[in-house]
Amino acid sequence: MIIQCYEDLYKQVEMCASTLTKMVDIMLTNQQRNDFVKNLQSAFVGIAEDLEKTYKLHDKPIIALLKRCAELSYIYLCDRDESVLVECREFIRDLPKTLEESVDLNDVELAAVVIIRNNGEYMREWIEYHRMVGVKHFYIYDNESVDGLKDILSDYIEHNIVTYKYWPGPVMQLPAYNDAVDNYKYDAKYMAFIDGDEFLMPVMKHGDRMMLLPEVIEYILDKHEKDEFKLDGNCGGIGVVWRTYGTSFHKNRQNGLLIENYNYRAEDTAPFCIHIKSICNPRVITGFLNPHAPVYAQGYYCISEKGSYIPSAYFYDSKCELLRINHYRSKSEEELLEKLERGTPDRVYKEPDEMAIAKSLHIATVEHNKVYDPIMEPYVDELKKRLANPDYTI
């Protein structure tokens, strides 16, 4: 759990402990009716259920303590032994301390959520690049990969950099995203929901250095908060637009880095560039109905890097002066054909016909190869060092 969420939860538990202690004190001073005792018991059960459901604190010490308090309430209801209440009150006073023992704290400002099928050869590059630009944790859903993905990720899993889930079945991207929101929304300040062929890139500089992703996110949100013309409500996420890269004229799979080999992309005005992917506060979204943009809770909305409102999964302004996503959709012609054959986690694929293959190849080799843009070049040398040194997984 991130520290900010823990601090809010700790205050809630302190308030509950204070209220419950007062209830016990009243019972010790004046013997109460059965319904009052039952309300106390229900309070213990309700708090435990909320901590389990909302904060995923199953089988933690605080749950055991609350269950014991509920048992003591029942014992008192049966025999009215005040020593039982005294014991219960001591347990209640221990609730905040027990919460400390029940929660693993972290400082993850930004996590990435992705669902993958057979993209293992590029995953270490994808992870190490994103670690370089400020992503601290990765929730990786394996959609029936047969290329040894879990083994490739083993060091990251061991060192708690990756949370790995095997996630079989057709059309599983939205269920994976929703599972991440349901189970991990208190474990990262922000979550980026992207694909394994998408590289989230900070474009904004601070002096001579490129800013990290969390820094750019905070800059955008702070600037928007100060805008007197902003919408009523609160920003819940940022929509980041694509820059889509083609084959870079490679017919066959290339050795070396993806970000080094593929430097030709579509023009800024290409229709693909209106797609967004989302960086969200996962605690203010209700889930995903579209992989590009979540549904926000009432009173929250998505903005562009300029602070303008984005109402859907598309944004026609398509500016990326602060953030962008480099979408390596096709890679080589060879890999694009393999991708068309195997399908992806976001749709059910039928056998691709010749016309569909021809269209995809034309887009990847012509429309997506019009602009030479080696913007990732500054990351290449450091990324190679990381990939050559296994200690970078620690």
Side-chain angles (χ1 to χ4, degrees):
M1 184 180 295
I2 56 170
I3 294 171
Q4 178 184 357
C5 290
Y6 171 75
E7 289 174 347
D8 291 341
L9 177 58
Y10 190 90
K11 290 176 183 177
Q12 294 176 40
V13 170
E14 277 190 320
M15 291 175 60
C16 289
S18 176
T19 301
L20 293 167
T21 300
K22 289 176 182 177
M23 291 179 69
V24 173
D25 286 341
I26 290 171
M27 293 166 63
L28 286 169
T29 305
N30 301 294
Q31 196 171 76
Q32 297 296 312
R33 298 180 311 183
N34 286 354
D35 57 350
F36 189 92
V37 183
K38 289 178 180 177
N39 287 339
L40 178 65
Q41 183 182 21
S42 297
F44 291 128
V45 173
I47 295 168
E49 289 178 347
D50 184 61
L51 291 175
E52 287 183 320
K53 180 180 178 181
T54 304
Y55 295 95
K56 311 303 178 184
L57 296 178
H58 305 280
D59 302 321
K60 298 294 185 178
I62 194 168
I63 303 301
L65 185 61
L66 287 163
K67 289 180 178 178
R68 178 56 181 159
C69 288
E71 291 171 358
L72 292 173
S73 301
Y74 178 76
I75 292 170
Y76 176 75
L77 184 65
C78 295
D79 59 23
R80 300 289 177 168
D81 182 355
E82 289 190 354
S83 66
V84 173
L85 284 183
V86 173
E87 182 182 2
C88 184
R89 183 173 59 185
E90 293 306 311
F91 283 142
I92 293 170
R93 289 172 176 169
D94 283 341
L95 281 173
K97 179 183 176 182
T98 309
L99 177 66
E100 295 179 23
E101 302 167 2
S102 303
V103 174
D104 296 323
L105 294 181
N106 69 63
D107 60 351
V108 176
E109 292 183 272
L110 177 62
V113 180
V114 63
I115 183 167
I116 295 294
R117 181 186 296 166
N118 294 333
N119 197 40
E121 65 183 299
Y122 294 109
M123 282 310 294
R124 289 192 66 233
E125 177 182 351
W126 185 88
I127 289 172
E128 288 302 333
Y129 164 77
H130 282 101
R131 292 181 72 194
M132 286 172 61
V133 296
V135 179
K136 280 204 169 182
H137 196 82
F138 302 86
Y139 297 97
I140 297 181
Y141 290 77
D142 180 356
N143 185 227
E144 302 180 351
S145 296
V146 293
D147 60 354
L149 177 61
K150 189 174 182 181
D151 290 337
I152 292 167
L153 299 174
S154 60
D155 285 343
Y156 296 110
I157 297 169
E158 181 183 349
H159 290 97
N160 198 33
I161 295 167
V162 164
T163 297
Y164 170 90
K165 282 194 170 183
Y166 186 66
W167 204 251
V171 198
M172 293 302 289
Q173 185 171 25
L174 294 180
Y177 283 3
N178 289 326
D179 180 82
V181 173
D182 290 342
N183 288 291
Y184 308 115
K185 61 185 172 185
Y186 293 101
D187 290 338
K189 187 173 184 180
Y190 303 111
M191 282 183 170
F193 294 85
I194 56 178
D195 291 342
D197 59 3
E198 295 174 341
F199 286 63
L200 183 56
M201 182 182 182
V203 186
M204 185 179 181
K205 287 187 174 182
H206 180 75
D208 293 332
R209 75 169 179 87
M210 199 70 75
M211 294 176 69
L212 298 176
L213 288 170
E215 295 175 302
V216 182
I217 293 167
E218 294 296 347
Y219 172 83
I220 294 170
L221 296 179
D222 288 346
K223 188 172 183 294
H224 177 69
E225 186 61 30
K226 296 171 184 173
D227 187 351
E228 60 181 306
F229 298 108
K230 72 183 182 70
L231 293 172
D232 290 336
N234 299 285
C235 175
I238 299 169
V240 187
V241 293
W242 276 349
R243 288 297 180 262
T244 303
Y245 285 71
T247 63
S248 290
F249 311 106
H250 296 305
K251 290 188 174 295
N252 300 312
R253 180 181 270 100
Q254 300 295 297
N255 295 321
L257 297 182
L258 179 67
I259 65 170
E260 185 179 27
N261 289 327
Y262 296 91
N263 289 311
Y264 284 86
R265 64 169 176 83
E267 296 173 316
D268 291 354
T269 55
F272 318 99
C273 292
I274 67 172
H275 289 81
I276 68 165
K277 282 297 181 73
S278 299
I279 303 172
C280 320
N281 173 352
R283 293 164 296 285
V284 301
I285 61 178
T286 60
F288 280 83
L289 299 177
N290 182 306
H292 294 268
V295 178
Y296 289 90
Q298 187 173 359
Y300 292 89
Y301 51 82
C302 178
I303 63 169
S304 73
E305 64 174 41
K306 298 295 187 183
S308 48
Y309 173 59
I310 300 180
S312 69
Y314 307 99
F315 185 61
Y316 292 88
D317 186 13
S318 192
K319 300 294 184 186
C320 52
E321 297 170 1
L322 305 179
L323 288 171
R324 66 189 263 181
I325 288 177
N326 290 350
H327 184 201
Y328 298 94
R329 178 180 175 273
S330 59
K331 306 179 185 71
S332 65
E333 291 184 36
E334 175 188 2
E335 290 164 284
L336 176 59
L337 290 172
E338 290 175 359
K339 179 179 179 179
L340 291 172
E341 289 292 339
R342 72 172 180 258
T344 58
D346 63 341
R347 67 192 69 184
V348 175
Y349 270 75
K350 299 177 182 178
E351 288 293 323
D353 58 33
E354 291 184 6
M355 289 293 292
I357 292 174
K359 181 179 178 181
S360 293
L361 284 173
H362 174 78
I363 291 172
T365 57
V366 178
E367 298 301 321
H368 288 175
N369 281 342
K370 288 191 172 181
V371 177
Y372 180 68
D373 182 8
I375 194 171
M376 298 288 265
E377 197 171 67
Y379 296 103
V380 168
D381 289 343
E382 175 65 17
L383 186 51
K384 284 181 177 179
K385 291 177 184 177
R386 285 173 171 256
L387 294 174
N389 183 356
D391 289 341
Y392 270 105
T393 60
I394 298 174

